[in-house]
């Protein structure tokens, strides 16, 4: 009895069934549709965010995020360009770096790889951080030691201790017999595994060994490798002097991340359509309720209820279904996202074991959650706007003519 009149009437109409029970049936299913749509949107977005973040950590943590080089990809004393990057910039660390396409030959097989020459003492490199201490010690002190991706080693059929022949065309020489590529026997000292296609493409050598294989000059390298605080903030990199350029991960892996982002947007759009259909169901259910309640609306107007308050009554009624479905769906989506692996195990479903992981990656972004909640509530309010306006335009004389 202490509630505002418009709120009391709106909630009463939201829970009442009236003569047209089909309107209540449609309204109830609209609430369920919004609930499922919001929950599915939150759950799928969290999993897609998790996969994107996992790719960002695993792949962009091991391949060069950015490289300062020149057109010849041979930079003299690249360490002198470290002063171009201020301590407060997006760049967190730098080191000379060598990269080249190479062929690796095992006992009975030959495959193409990307050869990375890097400093074994570098503490920033996640590939080196993931090696066991013995492998890292061999790699640091053994001349012409090689670390392979697990996929490369498996395709060649080699194990640590075996010798493989590495051939590169970049350091080839012209002889009386023709052009001879540069080649050298390397000893496999260990392997690494990242869980993605980098394992089938990458081999690591010490910076000095790679420089001798490619016949680089003293203090020469392919460029200066940069580590960024956020690999997606490449636009914050400072301008380079003339003759230098950036080579970034977007040039080699950008299409993959664009495909993941496009898939995430399409999935979100399809799930948002569920919410949109449920909102249209709210609109149709409210139109039927307004038609059913015309006599009551007319009597309320004769008792002094203004048009604006009539409109507010039916806005509250329509918003009730949307708010209820949105809040319950929001809670259900959070609950499923935070306990997704337990739910899948309970159902006997294991999607992620094939990818080499123990659990599905889930990442909940507060801004994204608030955006889903806000736009769902806004859509429900807009869906109830027309029926509420129509209710406020009921003429008491016409509605009560045959009562």
């Amino acid at each position: 009895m202490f509630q505002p009149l418009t709120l009391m009437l709106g909630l009463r109409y939201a829970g009442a069934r009236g003569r047209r029970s089909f309107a209540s049936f449609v309204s109830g299913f609209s609430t369920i549709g919004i609930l499922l749509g919001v929950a599915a949107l939150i759950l799928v977005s969290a999993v897609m965010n998790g996969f994107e973040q996992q790719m960002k950590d695993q792949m962009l943590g091991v391949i060069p995020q950015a490289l300062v080089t020149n057109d010849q990809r041979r930079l003299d004393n690249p360490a002198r360009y470290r002063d171009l990057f201020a301590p407060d910039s997006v760049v967190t660390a730098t080191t000379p770096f060598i990269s080249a396409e190479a062929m690796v030959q095992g006992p009975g097989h030959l495959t193409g790889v990307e050869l990375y020459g890097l400093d074994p003492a570098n503490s920033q490199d996640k590939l080196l951080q993931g090696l066991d201490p013995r492998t890292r010690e061999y790699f640091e002190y053994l001349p012409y030691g090689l670390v392979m991706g697990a996929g490369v080693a498996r395709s060649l059929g080699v194990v640590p201790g075996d010798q493989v022949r590495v051939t590169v065309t970049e350091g080839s020489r012209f002889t009386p017999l023709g052009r001879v590529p540069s080649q050298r026997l390397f000893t496999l000292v260990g392997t690494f595994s990242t869980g993605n296609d980098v394992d089938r493409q990458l081999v690591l050598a010490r910076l000095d060994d790679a420089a001798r294989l490619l016949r680089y000059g003293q203090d020469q390298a392919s460029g200066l490798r940069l580590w960024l605080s956020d690999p997606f903030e490449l636009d914050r990199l400072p301008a380079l002097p003339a003759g230098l350029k950036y080579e970034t991960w977007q040039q080699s892996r950008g299409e993959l991340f664009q495909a993941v982002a496009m898939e995430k947007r399409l999935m979100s759009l399809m799930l948002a359509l569920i919410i949109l259909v449920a909102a249209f169901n709210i609109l149709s259910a409210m139109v039927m309720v307004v038609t059913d309640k015309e006599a009551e609306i007319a009597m309320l107007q004769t008792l002094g209820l203004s048009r604006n308050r009539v409109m507010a009554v039916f806005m509250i009624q329509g918003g009730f279904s949307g708010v209820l479905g949105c809040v319950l769906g929001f809670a259900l989506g959070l609950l499923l996202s935070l306990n997704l692996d337990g739910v899948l195990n309970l159902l006997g479903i294991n999607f992620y074991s094939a990818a080499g992981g123990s659990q599905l990656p889930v990442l909940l972004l507060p801004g994204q959650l608030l955006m889903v909640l806000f736009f769902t509530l806004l859509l429900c309010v807009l869906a109830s706007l027309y029926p509420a306006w129509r209710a406020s335009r009921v003429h008491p004389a016409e509605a009560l003519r045959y009562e």
Side-chain angles (χ1 to χ4, degrees):
M1 62 180 294
F2 298 105
Q3 292 177 333
L5 179 61
T6 53
L7 179 62
M8 182 190 70
L9 290 174
L11 295 178
R12 182 176 178 180
Y13 283 161
R17 296 189 174 274
R19 296 194 302 269
R20 301 198 177 191
S21 58
F22 182 70
S24 298
F25 176 81
V26 173
S27 179
F29 266 84
S30 303
T31 303
I32 295 175
I34 291 175
L35 186 154
L36 295 177
V38 171
L41 185 56
I42 291 175
L43 178 61
V44 172
S45 298
V47 174
M48 294 296 290
N49 291 337
F51 273 116
E52 188 177 39
Q53 184 64 38
Q54 187 180 67
M55 288 177 58
K56 179 179 174 181
D57 293 339
Q58 291 186 351
M59 186 175 292
L60 299 185
V62 298
I63 67 173
Q65 298 169 3
L67 192 68
V68 177
T69 185
N70 54 19
D71 292 333
Q72 294 76 33
R73 285 183 62 84
R74 291 206 177 196
L75 208 59
D76 294 324
N77 191 18
R80 60 181 172 155
Y81 298 107
R82 289 174 175 168
D83 295 337
L84 296 173
F85 308 101
D88 58 345
S89 68
V90 68
V91 179
T92 59
T94 61
T95 185
F97 183 74
I98 290 176
S99 66
E101 294 181 353
M103 300 294 294
V104 180
Q105 183 178 7
H109 188 59
L110 185 71
T111 186
V113 296
E114 184 76 14
L115 174 67
Y116 283 0
L118 43 84
D119 183 3
N122 181 23
S123 60
Q124 294 286 331
D125 201 300
K126 290 188 177 181
L127 281 177
L128 296 181
Q129 292 174 5
L131 299 177
D132 61 84
R134 183 178 293 274
T135 298
R136 185 161 183 174
E137 183 179 2
Y138 282 148
F139 181 68
E140 187 171 355
Y141 297 107
L142 181 66
Y144 295 102
L146 198 69
V147 178
M148 287 185 179
V152 178
R154 189 164 48 249
S155 66
L156 294 176
V158 294
V159 295
D162 292 344
Q163 285 192 323
V164 295
R165 183 173 298 275
V166 180
T167 305
V168 293
T169 59
E170 186 176 336
S172 60
R173 295 181 298 176
F174 289 96
T175 69
L177 299 177
R179 187 173 182 176
V180 178
S182 179
Q183 53 183 316
R184 179 82 190 197
L185 284 176
F186 281 74
T187 301
L188 180 62
V189 299
T191 61
F192 63 86
S193 178
T194 62
N196 53 57
D197 62 345
V198 172
D199 298 340
R200 301 186 296 273
Q201 301 172 357
L202 204 60
V203 297
L204 310 178
R206 298 192 309 173
L207 188 68
D208 295 339
D209 296 339
R212 285 193 290 269
L213 177 67
L214 294 164
R215 296 190 172 93
Y216 278 20
Q218 183 70 22
D219 293 329
Q220 269 192 338
S222 298
L224 186 68
R225 182 179 180 180
L226 311 179
W227 275 266
L228 310 181
S229 57
D230 187 351
F232 286 86
E233 295 185 348
L234 295 173
D235 55 339
R236 290 180 53 193
L237 289 172
L240 293 176
L244 298 180
K245 65 178 182 178
Y246 288 115
E247 290 186 3
T248 65
W249 64 267
Q250 288 182 339
Q251 299 171 358
S252 58
R253 305 283 175 169
E255 293 182 356
L256 176 61
F257 283 87
Q258 289 175 2
V260 172
M262 179 63 70
E263 184 179 0
K264 184 169 70 171
R265 285 194 292 267
L266 289 177
M267 289 292 294
S268 299
L269 178 61
M270 288 188 293
L271 294 172
L273 290 177
I274 299 176
I275 302 175
L276 184 62
V277 171
F280 275 109
N281 287 338
I282 290 178
L283 189 149
S284 59
M286 282 196 60
V287 168
M288 288 187 285
V289 169
V290 169
T291 304
D292 187 41
K293 303 290 185 182
E294 281 188 354
E296 296 182 20
I297 296 170
M299 285 187 286
L300 288 173
Q301 288 180 332
T302 59
L303 292 174
L305 198 65
S306 65
R307 290 180 181 269
N308 289 336
R309 298 184 72 182
V310 169
M311 188 172 179
V313 167
F314 285 91
M315 289 285 292
I316 292 171
Q317 179 198 352
F320 177 79
S321 298
V323 170
L324 181 63
C326 188
V327 171
L328 293 179
F330 189 81
L332 180 61
L334 288 180
L335 185 64
L336 290 176
S337 299
L338 296 175
N339 301 277
L340 183 57
D341 289 291
V343 173
L344 293 179
N345 292 333
L346 185 64
L347 298 175
I349 302 174
N350 189 0
F351 290 113
Y352 199 51
S353 59
S358 58
Q359 59 183 7
L360 277 169
V362 174
L363 178 62
L364 293 168
L365 301 178
Q368 192 178 61
L369 295 176
L370 292 176
M371 186 174 65
V372 170
L373 187 63
F374 172 77
F375 281 104
T376 302
L377 292 175
L378 179 63
L379 188 61
C380 295
V381 170
L382 292 177
S384 61
L385 190 60
Y386 169 72
W389 175 83
R390 182 175 172 179
S392 68
R393 296 302 164 186
V394 171
H395 295 285
E398 294 182 2
L400 297 176
R401 179 182 301 175
Y402 301 106
E403 293 293 332

